[in-house]
Structure formats: C-alpha cells, structure tokens
Amino acid sequence: MTSKNILVTGGAGYIGSHTVKELLRRGYEPIIIDNLSTGYRKLVVGGEFIQADLRNPDAVRQIFSGHRINAVIHFAASCYVGESVEKPMMYYENNVLCGMNLLAAMLAHDVRCIIFSSSAAVYGNPIHVPIREEHPQNPINPYGQTKSLFEDILRSHERLYGMQFVSLRYFNAAGCDPEAEIGETHEPETHLIPLALDVAVGRTPNLRVFGTDYDTPDGTCIRDFIHVCDLADAHIRTLEYLMDGGASAVFNVGTGTGHSVREIIRAAERVTGRSIPAVNAPRRPGDPPSLVASAEKLKGAIGWTAQHSALDEILSTAWNWHKKLRGCAD
Ligand code: UFG
C-alpha cells in the first residue's frame, strides 16, 4: 500500500487522534508524530508513533528519510485563543516556524501533498454569517493570525514549489469517538461542552455563561458545532481529493447551523439526564457573537456534508467519553 503512508503531526491530540483512528479503519498506515506537550500517547490507537518535536528540523528530516511518506496531515499546533494573547511568540514558533520545518522536510523528500488544520479564527469578528471562505480575514488574536499566516505560506509554496494543499477551517469541534475509546482531553479545559459535562458529573458546581447580552435570540453566543468524526472524515476525503489531482483549496468545515450557549446547556441536560446549573458571567474577551459556517464549498467540491453533528449525537458521544475520563459510573 505504497500510497497509504500518511504522516500525521499532532496525531495524539483531540482531532488528530480521531483522524488516526479513522485512517486505520480505512486501511491507511499512519505515522504519527507528536511531542506530547498537549497530546496523550494513550489516544493513539494504532499506526507507528514517534515522539518528536517539529521545532527540531533535523528530527523532522530524519523521519522523512526513514519512511516513505506519501502525504501529510498537519494538526500539530498550539490552539488556545487566550494563551495566544499572553504568549504570542510561542504561537508564531509552534504554528508557523514548526510548519515551515515540516514543509522544508517535505520538499527535501519530494512530498507535495498536505492537509492543514486551520480555523474559523482566521475570520475574526465576522461581518456576515454564514461565513463563506471569501469572507475577509481579520483575525483578532495571535492564534487566528498564525493560522492565516500559514495559509499564506502554503499558497506561496504552491506557487514556488508546486506544493498541493487543502486548508480546513474548523468551526467548533465537538463530540467524541462513538466507541468512547478516545475523546476530548484538554489541560486546562476551556471549551463549552466538556465544561458543561464537568458540571453534569459533579466535578464543578455550575457553568459560567460568558455574556448574556449579545445581539442574538437568547442573548448568548452562537457557534457551529461539528462532530470530530465528521472532521476526521473531511480530512481523509480532502486528502483523497488532493491525491487524485484535485486543486489546492481552502474549505470551511462546519454544518451551516448555529446553536446558542443556552441551547447547548439544555441539550446537555437532556442527554445526560442531569441538571447543569448555569450562572451569568461577563463576556469573555475576544468572543464573536456568532460564528456559523457556510459549508457549501466543501459540499460542492467533494460532496461532503456532516453526518454526525446533530446536537444529541455530539452530546451523547461526548458524555460517554466524559464519564470514562472522569471515572464516573452511569
Ligand atoms: N462558553 C461559556 N462558558 C464556558 C466556556 C465557553 O459561556 O465555560 C462560551 C464561550 O464564551 C463561547 C462558546 O461558549 O461563546 C464556545 O466557546 P468554546 O471555548 O467552546 O469555543 P470557541 O468558540 O471560543 O473556540 C472555537 C475553537 C477555537 C477557535 C475559535 C475560533 O475551539 O480553537 O473557535 O473563534 F479558535
């Protein structure tokens, strides 16, 4: 299976590990590199795992020398908006410089096919929703800036060296492996759904709702939640599109439907059968009121639509994993 060796950077993280599991299920042979700074070895369920750091160009080159790699899926990154404001240089190093080390090793070994983890954060505060890919990019934090910058670098590598890329701009990744073998684990956790589930398991007494006076129907922020298994599918399908000769492109990965913070809390109560007390809290700096994707471009290019992103499926898969993570019985 010579065209099946896929290098997955950051494959021990949340979205990376779900993609690795799906690659294995579809007969690919992933080679996973991760420095385990935020990833977990136990989330990697197969393939060859190499603990390595993209900050070290020699280590990256050696991996390419030692393996016949056909294509790369590049997840490895720092991905906390708040942390990026406090430590911008860390974000430029991890999200831009490391990516350039990877591209240099790819070119040196004639590997010219890469799927890149980008983010809705490249749009900043949207002028209109749903957000199409042509929407102006005006990122409002270093996290979004580094994602936007690396997309520019990919475009210039395409012009200069014929690098073929797909950049996937994720909206809000959520949900977990339906088998609950792997799932979402962040330290510290800042995301809405796992924090709501922490209240459901009794780990924290209540959920803070950041901002209740937004110009939205119930006053809370609206987000487009996309199941991590749909994201994994989008990576593999766009990889196949690229390997079949498809043109480089940037795609949103979302559902086209938004849900408010209050809707998520209600859905989490329904799915868990437990009460999730919420307290009103001030707005969190940097939160746009509404982030909803137009998912039309990806649908038009490869026929992809989300299959697992109904709220109850997102929440029930997240709940099954979360109980296991927190050591809770049913
Ligand atoms: N929220 C709360 N209470 C919490 C946590 C979150 O009310 O305890 C709210 C947030 O204010 C926001 C919504 O829930 O309105 C979603 O917040 P998350 O932190 O779960 O997700 P974000 O939308 O902030 O972040 C996502 C991705 C980031 C990406 C960003 C782009 O996780 O990687 O979208 O804006 F950068």
Side-chain angles (χ1 to χ4, degrees), residues 79 81 119-121 141 143 170-173 190-193 195 207-211 214 221-223 225 261 284 286-288 291:
C79 58
V81 169
S119 167
N141 48 60
Y143 172 66
Y170 314 154
F171 281 66
N172 285 63
T190 60
H191 294 97
L192 176 64
I193 291 176
L195 288 174
L207 181 76
R208 288 177 297 160
V209 177
F210 295 138
Y214 285 100
C221 286
I222 293 177
R223 293 290 182 270
F225 292 89
V261 172
R284 195 172 65 174
D287 273 343
L291 276 178

